Amino acid sequence: MKIEYKVPKTLAGISVRAFLVQKGFSVHLWRRLKNSGTTCVNGNVVIAALTKLEADDILTCEIPESTSIPPIKGTLEILYEDDALLFVNKPAGQLVHPLAHSSEETLLNYAAYHLHTDTQDLIPHPVHRLDRNTTGIVMIAKLPHVQHVLSENGAPRFHRRYLAILEGTPNPANGTINAPIGRKPGSIIERCVADTGKSAVTDYKTIAAWDDYSLVEAAPVTGRTHQIRVHFSHIGCPLAGDDLYGGSREHIQRQALHAYLMELTHPVTRQPLRITAPVPPDFEKLLPADILQQIKTCSLIRK
């Protein structure tokens, strides 16, 4: 993807590297672009990071794109959008990514249609994923360098918090689950706690408890597949509806897990950004009325 900037008078005299970093490029990505020979000022290849820019200079760079995603018109619940980022609220039962040899419509197909028709002809770049039946916030970068900055070196530059309804109540009520997770032998889907697995850490706090259930806020420190689901099952409190990991589907037909909060420093503006997603209807039905009301008024969960 070719990106083009016209240097404003207010930034005359700034170096190429500093200008791109200000636009959200990481220093690491700048080095890759410089070495590729695709970064130019007024058509001339830039070979020095400290090359100075003048007012009205045209700076261009070529960033490799991921595979194009076919745009499909569909319902997209947008929580927040600006020139660099798109946050959407994913419903249960929808995949984030298209699968090979499948015609199923996904969140990214809908996002591709939105970006093609409502802004520019952009390709959505997902920064993270959610399981098919997990609801809540998905962050999509509109430009590849923004995606790169937010996930550089495999270290997420954002903080996610989930609401989960568990069968039973964790003991202690608040704490950290530190247990490595690996693939379960003989399964291509299921994960399990295993000494040979990869490090996995989840912080949690219990928000409310009733009958045989509890509502917890979970904050994954690492990002392993099925991490929250595996960790709570491991301590004897599987998610309601999560029959893959020991939960019952009597009252909800999917794992009761909702990505409700995301906090980050905006990769371009450098300003703090806080995005929230409302609790979905099937999740609400499991909650007592008083607890649900307190969640909606944000008096039970952190602000």
Side-chain angles (χ1 to χ4, degrees), residues 57-105:
D57 277 350
I58 301 298
L59 174 62
T60 59
C61 50
E62 193 78 29
I63 303 177
E65 278 282 16
S66 57
T67 303
S68 178
I69 296 170
I72 299 175
K73 186 176 182 179
T75 301
L76 200 65
E77 184 181 347
I78 298 174
L79 301 170
Y80 174 87
E81 183 175 12
D82 60 27
D83 290 341
L85 296 172
L86 172 66
F87 291 83
V88 297
N89 188 15
K90 189 186 85 66
Q94 186 178 48
L95 289 171
V96 172
H97 293 260
L99 297 176
H101 311 300
S102 173
S103 59
E104 182 174 353
E105 297 180 3

Side-chain angles (χ1 to χ4, degrees), residues 193-233:
V193 168
D195 292 339
T196 56
K198 295 181 179 180
S199 173
V201 180
T202 303
D203 295 329
Y204 71 91
K205 68 175 182 180
T206 301
I207 297 172
W210 68 99
D211 300 333
D212 296 323
Y213 296 98
S214 59
L215 176 68
V216 302
E217 181 189 69
V221 179
T222 53
R224 307 304 174 204
T225 299
H226 297 178
Q227 177 173 312
I228 294 174
R229 301 165 62 187
V230 172
H231 270 172
F232 283 113
S233 176

Side-chain angles (χ1 to χ4, degrees), residues 105-123:
E105 297 180 3
T106 71
L107 193 73
L108 287 187
N109 291 124
Y110 295 169
Y113 182 90
H114 170 73
L115 295 179
H116 177 74
T117 58
D118 290 358
T119 55
Q120 305 175 59
D121 189 12
L122 300 174
I123 296 174

Side-chain angles (χ1 to χ4, degrees), residues 21-281:
V21 168
Q22 189 176 98
K23 292 296 183 180
F25 288 66
S26 67
V27 174
H28 174 69
L29 180 56
W30 148 251
R31 293 195 186 104
R32 286 178 55 195
L33 293 174
K34 180 173 71 73
N35 293 334
S36 72
T38 61
T39 301
C40 302
V41 176
N42 301 325
N44 300 312
V45 176
V46 174
I47 59 174
L50 299 181
T51 297
K52 300 298 182 182
L53 295 168
E54 301 298 333
D56 298 326
D57 277 350
I58 301 298
L59 174 62
T60 59
C61 50
E62 193 78 29
I63 303 177
E65 278 282 16
S66 57
T67 303
S68 178
I69 296 170
I72 299 175
K73 186 176 182 179
T75 301
L76 200 65
E77 184 181 347
I78 298 174
L79 301 170
Y80 174 87
E81 183 175 12
D82 60 27
D83 290 341
L85 296 172
L86 172 66
F87 291 83
V88 297
N89 188 15
K90 189 186 85 66
Q94 186 178 48
L95 289 171
V96 172
H97 293 260
L99 297 176
H101 311 300
S102 173
S103 59
E104 182 174 353
E105 297 180 3
T106 71
L107 193 73
L108 287 187
N109 291 124
Y110 295 169
Y113 182 90
H114 170 73
L115 295 179
H116 177 74
T117 58
D118 290 358
T119 55
Q120 305 175 59
D121 189 12
L122 300 174
I123 296 174
H125 298 81
V127 179
H128 66 105
R129 306 183 185 203
L130 291 179
D131 293 342
R132 179 195 287 269
N133 287 319
T134 296
T135 56
I137 303 168
V138 174
M139 175 167 50
I140 298 169
K142 293 185 175 182
L143 300 168
H145 73 274
V146 173
Q147 179 194 41
H148 186 275
V149 168
L150 288 167
S151 57
E152 189 174 15
N153 299 324
R157 306 300 176 88
F158 51 92
H159 302 285
R160 292 174 288 174
R161 293 181 184 274
Y162 294 76
L163 292 177
I165 298 176
L166 310 183
E167 296 180 0
T169 302
N171 184 17
N174 306 322
T176 297
I177 305 172
N178 188 344
I181 292 175
R183 195 183 299 275
K184 185 175 181 179
S187 175
I188 61 173
I189 298 175
E190 196 171 353
R191 266 58 177 179
C192 65
V193 168
D195 292 339
T196 56
K198 295 181 179 180
S199 173
V201 180
T202 303
D203 295 329
Y204 71 91
K205 68 175 182 180
T206 301
I207 297 172
W210 68 99
D211 300 333
D212 296 323
Y213 296 98
S214 59
L215 176 68
V216 302
E217 181 189 69
V221 179
T222 53
R224 307 304 174 204
T225 299
H226 297 178
Q227 177 173 312
I228 294 174
R229 301 165 62 187
V230 172
H231 270 172
F232 283 113
S233 176
H234 177 65
I235 65 170
C237 296
L239 273 63
D242 193 2
D243 56 353
L244 183 64
Y245 293 109
S248 168
R249 299 182 67 181
E250 181 180 359
H251 299 297
I252 187 170
Q253 298 303 301
R254 53 105 181 177
Q255 67 264 14
L257 185 62
H258 177 64
Y260 88 98
L261 173 66
M262 185 172 290
E263 296 174 315
L264 68 151
T265 297
H266 196 289
V268 177
T269 67
R270 310 300 189 203
Q271 296 300 308
L273 196 57
R274 185 179 191 271
I275 309 297
T276 59
V279 174

